[in-house]
Amino acid sequence: MDILGLQWENIKQNIQVEYDITDIAFNIWVKPLKYGKCENKVVTILIPNTNGSPEMLKYIEKNYTSCFQSALSDLLQDNYNVKFLLEEDMQTEKSNIVPIVADDSSNAVKKSNLNSKYRFENFIVGPNNNLAHSACLNVAEAPGRDFNNPLFIYGGSGLGKTHLMTAIGHYIIENTNLKVLYVTSEEFTNEVINMFRIKDNASIVKMREKYRNVDVLLIDDIQFIIGKSSTQEEFFHTFNTLYQNGKAIVISSDKHPVHMKELDERFRSRFQNGLLVDIQPPEYETRVAILQKYAENFDYKIPNNIINYIAENIKSNIRELEGAYNQVYAGHAQTLDDAKEILKDTISPDKPAVITPPMILKGISDYYHVDPEDITSKKRNAEIVLPRQIFMYLCREMTDTTLKGVAALLDKKDHSTVLHGYNKVADEIKKDPDFRETIEAIKNKIVSL
């Protein structure tokens, strides 16, 4: 073995110190890297099969090439180039490489209620989620820090919130002795209901100890406890206990706390006191990368033109992307025409691209979980007023409908009300970045209909 093979672990450690790479980034991206060979002043560095992928290769090349190139050139006292390679692409070296295998069977993982397949290593990072990804890495590295506690992740269904939360849990369990618990708000609600139904002191104590004696609590889809007074009260005290004891809390929701109209103000203030990050629907390149990564779970690969077809036509939801892939895989699609036939009920490329007021109405009602008829009615409930004004705004922005036309859709005689609603939303977009993100999320939902 040459000097690089002998010094490989030290080289990586020196790079971490020299370039101030965080522990979590080092453990995920740098530590698994293997020395391959050195020929003609080119050092080949291998990414193990167990966590290697084209996307990971691209990420490592972008972020760590210069680090290794500089460190190796300094060590060897000459200019050397660096080449990163997936282990599977270097067949002759496979016998010398020990794959890294994560221990998913540990008792701690089972107790934490984590899904074993959701890890940082297989999360596809793109412009739509890079801030949320970074925030989750920070929490995993230092749970309970003041500035990121609680961490509140919000965004539409199927965009990767659960994946990131679970990845936090896996990393903490594998690198610390901290106690982690993941739970959905529905599971939490059911336990509260059973606790009060049984009315047994021992059951109450047991349930509270389960949630309050952990170091990291990951609670998914918090919006489902809204309006459930007993559940909200129990979670409020659980939250306070953990927070006051410096424990980490990570929460997900389908929307920003500001837009959760029925949320108790006590929660709103606590959620906003931490770090809030959103996840948007993935853009085309990220959708392709997601499908390519997902394809690694199957014994034969779908042709790239089919993957591109799916990515071009399914835009709003990762689960829908994977579901479409499952369909073409199960249907043994070999050509694009095969895929189009299999997906004809899922993807309709011939549907009109023109956005219509009914599409806008559906997108808004889906986002706010309100009845479309309520939006177009004369009701003045607080939870209806904002969706109605957004409807006025988007009808003017996304369609050719006139002010009078929008007024007619809302059964209003005077279009001045529509103009007022339009202006109010437009002004709020200029002032409030979070509200602007909400409007963009609704637009994405509408376009994907």
mmCIF file of all heavy atoms in Angstrom, residues 255-277:
data_model
loop_
_atom_site.group_PDB
_atom_site.id
_atom_site.type_symbol
_atom_site.label_atom_id
_atom_site.label_comp_id
_atom_site.label_asym_id
_atom_site.label_seq_id
_atom_site.Cartn_x
_atom_site.Cartn_y
_atom_site.Cartn_z
ATOM 1 N N LYS A 255 -48.287 23.918 6.624
ATOM 2 C CA LYS A 255 -48.228 25.352 6.380
ATOM 3 C C LYS A 255 -47.513 26.083 7.516
ATOM 4 O O LYS A 255 -47.312 25.520 8.606
ATOM 5 C CB LYS A 255 -49.622 25.929 6.158
ATOM 6 C CG LYS A 255 -50.610 25.698 7.303
ATOM 7 C CD LYS A 255 -51.928 26.405 7.051
ATOM 8 C CE LYS A 255 -52.693 25.839 5.892
ATOM 9 N NZ LYS A 255 -53.295 24.520 6.182
ATOM 10 N N HIS A 256 -47.141 27.319 7.259
ATOM 11 C CA HIS A 256 -46.487 28.189 8.239
ATOM 12 C C HIS A 256 -47.452 28.457 9.396
ATOM 13 O O HIS A 256 -48.666 28.580 9.189
ATOM 14 C CB HIS A 256 -46.118 29.504 7.537
ATOM 15 C CG HIS A 256 -45.206 30.390 8.324
ATOM 16 N ND1 HIS A 256 -45.623 31.071 9.444
ATOM 17 C CD2 HIS A 256 -43.898 30.732 8.122
ATOM 18 C CE1 HIS A 256 -44.604 31.789 9.917
ATOM 19 N NE2 HIS A 256 -43.551 31.603 9.144
ATOM 20 N N PRO A 257 -46.945 28.564 10.642
ATOM 21 C CA PRO A 257 -47.831 28.834 11.789
ATOM 22 C C PRO A 257 -48.712 30.068 11.609
ATOM 23 O O PRO A 257 -49.842 30.105 12.105
ATOM 24 C CB PRO A 257 -46.848 29.025 12.953
ATOM 25 C CG PRO A 257 -45.645 28.256 12.565
ATOM 26 C CD PRO A 257 -45.549 28.364 11.069
ATOM 27 N N VAL A 258 -48.215 31.069 10.894
ATOM 28 C CA VAL A 258 -49.001 32.287 10.680
ATOM 29 C C VAL A 258 -50.308 31.972 9.969
ATOM 30 O O VAL A 258 -51.328 32.620 10.202
ATOM 31 C CB VAL A 258 -48.179 33.314 9.864
ATOM 32 C CG1 VAL A 258 -49.055 34.444 9.354
ATOM 33 C CG2 VAL A 258 -47.057 33.892 10.722
ATOM 34 N N HIS A 259 -50.286 30.974 9.106
ATOM 35 C CA HIS A 259 -51.456 30.658 8.293
ATOM 36 C C HIS A 259 -52.292 29.524 8.875
ATOM 37 O O HIS A 259 -53.214 29.039 8.219
ATOM 38 C CB HIS A 259 -51.020 30.323 6.866
ATOM 39 C CG HIS A 259 -50.216 31.413 6.233
ATOM 40 N ND1 HIS A 259 -50.685 32.712 6.115
ATOM 41 C CD2 HIS A 259 -48.958 31.430 5.726
ATOM 42 C CE1 HIS A 259 -49.764 33.464 5.546
ATOM 43 N NE2 HIS A 259 -48.704 32.723 5.309
ATOM 44 N N MET A 260 -51.978 29.105 10.094
ATOM 45 C CA MET A 260 -52.792 28.107 10.791
ATOM 46 C C MET A 260 -53.767 28.875 11.678
ATOM 47 O O MET A 260 -53.507 29.145 12.851
ATOM 48 C CB MET A 260 -51.892 27.162 11.588
ATOM 49 C CG MET A 260 -50.884 26.419 10.713
ATOM 50 S SD MET A 260 -49.547 25.596 11.628
ATOM 51 C CE MET A 260 -50.434 24.204 12.322
ATOM 52 N N LYS A 261 -54.892 29.237 11.093
ATOM 53 C CA LYS A 261 -55.782 30.225 11.695
ATOM 54 C C LYS A 261 -56.350 29.801 13.051
ATOM 55 O O LYS A 261 -56.629 30.622 13.900
ATOM 56 C CB LYS A 261 -56.937 30.551 10.728
ATOM 57 C CG LYS A 261 -56.456 31.184 9.417
ATOM 58 C CD LYS A 261 -55.659 32.446 9.698
ATOM 59 C CE LYS A 261 -55.131 33.060 8.418
ATOM 60 N NZ LYS A 261 -54.289 34.245 8.661
ATOM 61 N N GLU A 262 -56.557 28.512 13.254
ATOM 62 C CA GLU A 262 -57.152 28.054 14.511
ATOM 63 C C GLU A 262 -56.106 27.623 15.542
ATOM 64 O O GLU A 262 -56.454 27.105 16.599
ATOM 65 C CB GLU A 262 -58.112 26.890 14.231
ATOM 66 C CG GLU A 262 -59.307 27.283 13.368
ATOM 67 C CD GLU A 262 -60.243 26.121 13.130
ATOM 68 O OE1 GLU A 262 -60.121 25.101 13.848
ATOM 69 O OE2 GLU A 262 -61.097 26.226 12.246
ATOM 70 N N LEU A 263 -54.860 27.862 15.223
ATOM 71 C CA LEU A 263 -53.791 27.461 16.143
ATOM 72 C C LEU A 263 -53.789 28.349 17.375
ATOM 73 O O LEU A 263 -53.861 29.580 17.279
ATOM 74 C CB LEU A 263 -52.437 27.566 15.425
ATOM 75 C CG LEU A 263 -51.200 27.155 16.220
ATOM 76 C CD1 LEU A 263 -51.253 25.667 16.540
ATOM 77 C CD2 LEU A 263 -49.931 27.474 15.425
ATOM 78 N N ASP A 264 -53.705 27.723 18.537
ATOM 79 C CA ASP A 264 -53.629 28.453 19.795
ATOM 80 C C ASP A 264 -52.422 29.390 19.759
ATOM 81 O O ASP A 264 -51.323 29.009 19.366
ATOM 82 C CB ASP A 264 -53.476 27.431 20.940
ATOM 83 C CG ASP A 264 -53.631 28.060 22.305
ATOM 84 O OD1 ASP A 264 -52.959 29.067 22.558
ATOM 85 O OD2 ASP A 264 -54.429 27.537 23.113
ATOM 86 N N GLU A 265 -52.631 30.630 20.191
ATOM 87 C CA GLU A 265 -51.574 31.637 20.130
ATOM 88 C C GLU A 265 -50.343 31.217 20.936
ATOM 89 O O GLU A 265 -49.217 31.607 20.621
ATOM 90 C CB GLU A 265 -52.103 32.983 20.621
ATOM 91 C CG GLU A 265 -51.187 34.148 20.337
ATOM 92 C CD GLU A 265 -50.873 34.320 18.859
ATOM 93 O OE1 GLU A 265 -51.795 34.135 18.031
ATOM 94 O OE2 GLU A 265 -49.713 34.614 18.534
ATOM 95 N N ARG A 266 -50.551 30.412 21.988
ATOM 96 C CA ARG A 266 -49.416 29.933 22.779
ATOM 97 C C ARG A 266 -48.460 29.107 21.915
ATOM 98 O O ARG A 266 -47.238 29.204 22.036
ATOM 99 C CB ARG A 266 -49.906 29.069 23.942
ATOM 100 C CG ARG A 266 -50.760 29.799 24.965
ATOM 101 C CD ARG A 266 -51.214 28.825 26.038
ATOM 102 N NE ARG A 266 -52.010 27.737 25.478
ATOM 103 C CZ ARG A 266 -52.437 26.680 26.171
ATOM 104 N NH1 ARG A 266 -52.131 26.560 27.455
ATOM 105 N NH2 ARG A 266 -53.164 25.742 25.591
ATOM 106 N N PHE A 267 -49.046 28.285 21.014
ATOM 107 C CA PHE A 267 -48.215 27.481 20.124
ATOM 108 C C PHE A 267 -47.561 28.346 19.056
ATOM 109 O O PHE A 267 -46.387 28.175 18.747
ATOM 110 C CB PHE A 267 -49.072 26.392 19.441
ATOM 111 C CG PHE A 267 -49.459 25.276 20.345
ATOM 112 C CD1 PHE A 267 -50.773 25.095 20.728
ATOM 113 C CD2 PHE A 267 -48.511 24.394 20.824
ATOM 114 C CE1 PHE A 267 -51.138 24.056 21.560
ATOM 115 C CE2 PHE A 267 -48.860 23.344 21.657
ATOM 116 C CZ PHE A 267 -50.181 23.177 22.029
ATOM 117 N N ARG A 268 -48.356 29.254 18.504
ATOM 118 C CA ARG A 268 -47.827 30.071 17.420
ATOM 119 C C ARG A 268 -46.551 30.805 17.852
ATOM 120 O O ARG A 268 -45.554 30.851 17.147
ATOM 121 C CB ARG A 268 -48.890 31.074 16.958
ATOM 122 C CG ARG A 268 -48.605 31.625 15.555
ATOM 123 C CD ARG A 268 -49.567 32.747 15.182
ATOM 124 N NE ARG A 268 -50.927 32.513 15.570
ATOM 125 C CZ ARG A 268 -51.809 31.783 14.888
ATOM 126 N NH1 ARG A 268 -51.431 31.195 13.772
ATOM 127 N NH2 ARG A 268 -53.036 31.629 15.325
ATOM 128 N N SER A 269 -46.601 31.391 19.048
ATOM 129 C CA SER A 269 -45.448 32.147 19.536
ATOM 130 C C SER A 269 -44.258 31.233 19.791
ATOM 131 O O SER A 269 -43.107 31.597 19.521
ATOM 132 C CB SER A 269 -45.809 32.919 20.808
ATOM 133 O OG SER A 269 -46.155 32.031 21.852
ATOM 134 N N ARG A 270 -44.512 30.019 20.289
ATOM 135 C CA ARG A 270 -43.416 29.090 20.570
ATOM 136 C C ARG A 270 -42.815 28.540 19.276
ATOM 137 O O ARG A 270 -41.596 28.404 19.164
ATOM 138 C CB ARG A 270 -43.908 27.947 21.467
ATOM 139 C CG ARG A 270 -44.019 28.370 22.927
ATOM 140 C CD ARG A 270 -44.879 27.409 23.743
ATOM 141 N NE ARG A 270 -44.839 27.763 25.158
ATOM 142 C CZ ARG A 270 -45.515 28.778 25.692
ATOM 143 N NH1 ARG A 270 -46.260 29.556 24.907
ATOM 144 N NH2 ARG A 270 -45.454 29.026 26.995
ATOM 145 N N PHE A 271 -43.663 28.217 18.321
ATOM 146 C CA PHE A 271 -43.152 27.707 17.051
ATOM 147 C C PHE A 271 -42.299 28.762 16.352
ATOM 148 O O PHE A 271 -41.243 28.466 15.794
ATOM 149 C CB PHE A 271 -44.307 27.294 16.140
ATOM 150 C CG PHE A 271 -45.091 26.098 16.632
ATOM 151 C CD1 PHE A 271 -46.329 25.803 16.102
ATOM 152 C CD2 PHE A 271 -44.581 25.280 17.629
ATOM 153 C CE1 PHE A 271 -47.054 24.708 16.536
ATOM 154 C CE2 PHE A 271 -45.299 24.175 18.090
ATOM 155 C CZ PHE A 271 -46.538 23.898 17.537
ATOM 156 N N GLN A 272 -42.774 30.003 16.367
ATOM 157 C CA GLN A 272 -42.061 31.063 15.668
ATOM 158 C C GLN A 272 -40.811 31.531 16.407
ATOM 159 O O GLN A 272 -39.995 32.278 15.855
ATOM 160 C CB GLN A 272 -43.001 32.249 15.421
ATOM 161 C CG GLN A 272 -44.097 31.937 14.414
ATOM 162 C CD GLN A 272 -44.972 33.138 14.124
ATOM 163 O OE1 GLN A 272 -46.028 33.303 14.703
ATOM 164 N NE2 GLN A 272 -44.531 33.984 13.221
ATOM 165 N N ASN A 273 -40.653 31.080 17.635
ATOM 166 C CA ASN A 273 -39.480 31.450 18.424
ATOM 167 C C ASN A 273 -38.248 30.637 18.028
ATOM 168 O O ASN A 273 -37.127 30.967 18.386
ATOM 169 C CB ASN A 273 -39.763 31.252 19.921
ATOM 170 C CG ASN A 273 -38.694 31.871 20.788
ATOM 171 O OD1 ASN A 273 -38.321 33.019 20.601
ATOM 172 N ND2 ASN A 273 -38.176 31.107 21.747
ATOM 173 N N GLY A 274 -38.475 29.560 17.273
ATOM 174 C CA GLY A 274 -37.359 28.732 16.830
ATOM 175 C C GLY A 274 -36.970 29.038 15.401
ATOM 176 O O GLY A 274 -36.986 30.184 14.966
ATOM 177 N N LEU A 275 -36.641 28.001 14.654
ATOM 178 C CA LEU A 275 -36.232 28.150 13.259
ATOM 179 C C LEU A 275 -37.314 27.554 12.367
ATOM 180 O O LEU A 275 -37.688 26.383 12.518
ATOM 181 C CB LEU A 275 -34.903 27.428 13.018
ATOM 182 C CG LEU A 275 -34.347 27.467 11.590
ATOM 183 C CD1 LEU A 275 -34.074 28.905 11.158
ATOM 184 C CD2 LEU A 275 -33.082 26.629 11.488
ATOM 185 N N LEU A 276 -37.833 28.362 11.437
ATOM 186 C CA LEU A 276 -38.864 27.912 10.513
ATOM 187 C C LEU A 276 -38.276 27.810 9.116
ATOM 188 O O LEU A 276 -37.668 28.761 8.619
ATOM 189 C CB LEU A 276 -40.056 28.873 10.501
ATOM 190 C CG LEU A 276 -40.866 28.934 11.799
ATOM 191 C CD1 LEU A 276 -40.420 30.108 12.655
ATOM 192 C CD2 LEU A 276 -42.351 29.049 11.496
ATOM 193 N N VAL A 277 -38.433 26.650 8.476
ATOM 194 C CA VAL A 277 -37.925 26.437 7.114
ATOM 195 C C VAL A 277 -39.001 25.737 6.300
ATOM 196 O O VAL A 277 -39.774 24.935 6.814
ATOM 197 C CB VAL A 277 -36.631 25.596 7.112
ATOM 198 C CG1 VAL A 277 -35.483 26.358 7.738
ATOM 199 C CG2 VAL A 277 -36.839 24.261 7.834
#
